[in-house]
């Protein structure tokens, strides 16, 4: 399995890390948080709420990245090192995105999000 494929797995798992963060910093973590987790997360404020938002964005972004990596591999137009590098930069951008969300750095978070979208586009372009 290529490094780029491992990066897809990391990107798929990252939203779950955000869920754990939301529950750790959230209000009254415990059985109530697991009885109706979506309602509980909707009631959170501050960092817990932002961690949940980062989680949701992670679930939204992961399919596009996974498709870009798979298509880039199948198209065969790019060197493996290029695909691996782009995938690693994307993972770094997603980690930075989560950290910016948690720290409430909205402008920087948006810039990092655009970087991630650019990497997805680049994966398609290098495969062409």
């Amino acid at each position: 399995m290529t490094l780029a494929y491992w990066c897809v797995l990391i990107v798929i798992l990252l939203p779950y890390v955000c869920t754990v963060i939301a529950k750790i910093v959230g209000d009254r973590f415990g059985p109530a948080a697991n009885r109706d987790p979506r309602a509980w997360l909707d009631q959170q404020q501050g960092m817990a709420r932002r961690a949940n938002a980062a989680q949701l964005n992670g679930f939204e972004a992961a399919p596009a990245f996974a498709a870009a990596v798979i298509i880039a591999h199948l198209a065969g137009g790019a060197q493996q090192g290029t695909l691996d590098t782009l995938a690693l930069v994307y993972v770094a951008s997603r980690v930075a995105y989560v950290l910016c969300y948690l720290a409430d750095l909205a402008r920087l978070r948006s810039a990092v999000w655009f970087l991630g979208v650019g990497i997805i586009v680049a994966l398609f372009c290098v495969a062409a």
Side-chain angles (χ1 to χ4, degrees):
M1 203 155 84
T2 69
L3 182 58
Y5 282 145
W6 285 109
C7 287
V8 170
L9 177 61
I10 292 167
V11 167
I12 288 169
L13 295 176
L14 191 55
Y16 297 104
V17 173
C18 295
T19 301
V20 171
I21 292 169
K23 289 187 174 188
I24 288 172
V25 301
D27 181 38
R28 294 187 312 264
F29 173 69
N34 286 328
R35 191 163 285 119
D36 188 1
R38 292 177 189 230
W40 183 83
L41 285 166
D42 284 342
Q43 296 172 1
Q44 298 308 299
Q45 299 298 319
M47 186 184 290
R49 187 171 189 87
R50 293 190 305 274
N52 183 46
Q55 168 204 227
L56 296 174
N57 185 270
F59 285 131
E60 294 164 357
F65 173 67
V69 168
I70 293 166
I71 290 168
H73 273 91
L74 292 175
Q79 300 236 353
Q80 188 61 50
T82 302
L83 297 179
D84 290 342
T85 300
L86 286 170
L88 282 171
V89 173
Y90 185 80
V91 168
S93 78
R94 289 308 301 175
V95 170
Y97 179 86
V98 168
L99 293 174
C100 287
Y101 226 135
L102 294 176
D104 202 15
L105 302 171
R107 288 184 181 169
L108 183 56
R109 182 189 82 226
S110 293
V112 172
W113 181 87
F114 276 109
L115 171 66
V117 171
I119 294 167
I120 290 171
V121 171
L123 283 163
F124 280 98
C125 291
V126 298

